[in-house]
Amino acid sequence: MINLKTSDWQIDNIKTVLFDKDGTIIDLHYFWGKMTEMRANKVIKKYKIPQENFSKICLFLGYDLNTKKMLPNGITAIYSRSKIIEIFREKLEEFGIISSTEEIENIFDSVSAKFYKNMSEYTKSIKEAIDFIKELHQAGVKLGIVTSDSIESTKLTLKNFGWEKYFDVVIGRESSEFTKESGEPTKLALKTLNATPKTTIMIGDTPMDYISAKNAGVNITILVATGQIKKEELETTSPFVVNSLSEIKIYS
């Protein structure tokens, strides 16, 4: 077992740590910004929307072209994929476009296929998170990823950076018929790792990660302000919040 400590709080007797991916170990602004631009261009081409609406469509998907940042209240990287598609379809009605879930899914899938062929170009890691993960791994802690992204995407990311050896399980959106918020994917990670909620913590960057853990019986979630949401707002969800995972000290 290990213990975790910052200047503000301490967590003891941890055997297992589950991580979110985007915004927690991957720079989501860069990653999802590139993905959003590609999705918006594909939508413009398919539905013959005037190009001057490009920035507005990016905003629909939660990305601000001016700041090059994902919006704190945006849909991408916060909601599950099915919810993102549902909201986006409704937004497109402003252009008089009545699309189907299948059409939007096909657009997203075709963009993803192209995106992941250029993984190294579109993906940046959060160094402090990776240093923290390496330290946990060296301490013998069981590590897993629970994400709303696909298993394929996540494993490609891990392979791209050479991180496969650090994680014992990857749970993605296709791992369960239920969304991440339901807690079922987190329960599946616990079962696969033969871990108990009492000695497990979740680390993420949004309230969804907290909800996912709570619904799986994991009562401690550390939220890190490296994603779309500032520390002050995250503190309204969890008492365990840091600006960077480098603030956390690991000891036996």
Side-chain angles (χ1 to χ4, degrees), residues 74-128:
I75 61 175
T76 301
I78 289 183
Y79 294 118
S80 62
R81 192 175 196 247
S82 59
K83 184 68 172 178
I84 291 168
I85 289 173
E86 177 187 343
I87 295 172
F88 186 53
R89 283 180 59 244
E90 293 177 359
K91 290 286 188 181
L92 288 178
E93 291 179 8
E94 290 188 24
F95 295 108
I97 294 167
I98 306 301
S99 57
S100 67
T101 297
E102 184 179 7
E103 284 177 352
I104 303 302
E105 284 180 342
N106 288 338
I107 289 171
F108 282 18
D109 287 344
S110 65
V111 168
S112 294
K114 182 178 180 181
F115 188 90
Y116 292 116
K117 288 180 180 178
N118 301 284
M119 175 67 71
S120 58
E121 180 182 348
Y122 299 135
T123 310
K124 292 181 180 180
S125 67
I126 298 173
K127 182 182 182 301
E128 295 82 358

Side-chain angles (χ1 to χ4, degrees), residues 198-211:
K198 187 177 180 180
T199 57
T200 299
I201 63 168
M202 173 74 81
I203 297 181
D205 67 305
T206 71
M208 180 172 71
D209 299 307
Y210 175 89
I211 294 168

Side-chain angles (χ1 to χ4, degrees), residues 7-196:
S7 59
D8 298 316
W9 46 259
Q10 182 170 326
I11 302 169
D12 295 325
N13 304 322
I14 299 303
K15 291 183 178 180
T16 307
V17 180
L18 302 176
F19 284 86
D20 168 58
K21 178 171 74 73
D22 300 322
T24 305
I25 65 176
I26 294 294
D27 184 334
L28 71 81
H29 297 289
Y30 190 78
F31 181 93
W32 285 109
K34 296 294 185 183
M35 179 77 86
T36 300
E37 289 181 11
M38 292 170 69
R39 286 175 172 177
N41 275 321
K42 192 81 172 178
V43 166
I44 283 173
K45 183 177 180 180
K46 178 174 178 58
Y47 296 109
K48 297 180 173 58
I49 300 171
Q51 188 64 38
E52 57 262 31
N53 293 295
F54 177 69
S55 61
K56 187 173 184 178
I57 294 174
C58 286
L59 284 173
F60 285 170
L61 288 165
Y63 180 60
D64 188 336
L65 281 172
N66 294 320
T67 62
K68 300 296 182 184
K69 296 286 186 181
M70 303 303 293
L71 299 173
N73 60 345
I75 61 175
T76 301
I78 289 183
Y79 294 118
S80 62
R81 192 175 196 247
S82 59
K83 184 68 172 178
I84 291 168
I85 289 173
E86 177 187 343
I87 295 172
F88 186 53
R89 283 180 59 244
E90 293 177 359
K91 290 286 188 181
L92 288 178
E93 291 179 8
E94 290 188 24
F95 295 108
I97 294 167
I98 306 301
S99 57
S100 67
T101 297
E102 184 179 7
E103 284 177 352
I104 303 302
E105 284 180 342
N106 288 338
I107 289 171
F108 282 18
D109 287 344
S110 65
V111 168
S112 294
K114 182 178 180 181
F115 188 90
Y116 292 116
K117 288 180 180 178
N118 301 284
M119 175 67 71
S120 58
E121 180 182 348
Y122 299 135
T123 310
K124 292 181 180 180
S125 67
I126 298 173
K127 182 182 182 301
E128 295 82 358
I130 302 310
D131 290 343
F132 183 68
I133 286 166
K134 289 178 180 178
E135 193 173 350
L136 289 173
H137 178 72
Q138 290 171 357
V141 177
K142 294 179 181 178
L143 302 177
I145 291 179
V146 181
T147 176
S148 294
D149 202 0
S150 69
I151 295 174
E152 179 185 15
S153 165
T154 303
K155 287 189 174 181
L156 281 170
T157 301
L158 298 181
K159 183 178 180 180
N160 179 65
F161 289 104
W163 299 338
E164 307 104 305
K165 59 182 174 289
Y166 300 127
F167 295 97
D168 303 295
V169 66
V170 172
I171 302 297
R173 64 170 178 263
E174 65 270 63
S175 300
S176 171
E177 62 180 302
F178 301 99
T179 63
K180 184 175 177 178
E181 299 98 309
S182 71
E184 293 304 317
T186 302
K187 288 180 182 178
L188 180 58
L190 293 171
K191 182 178 180 180
T192 305
L193 293 170
N194 194 27
T196 62

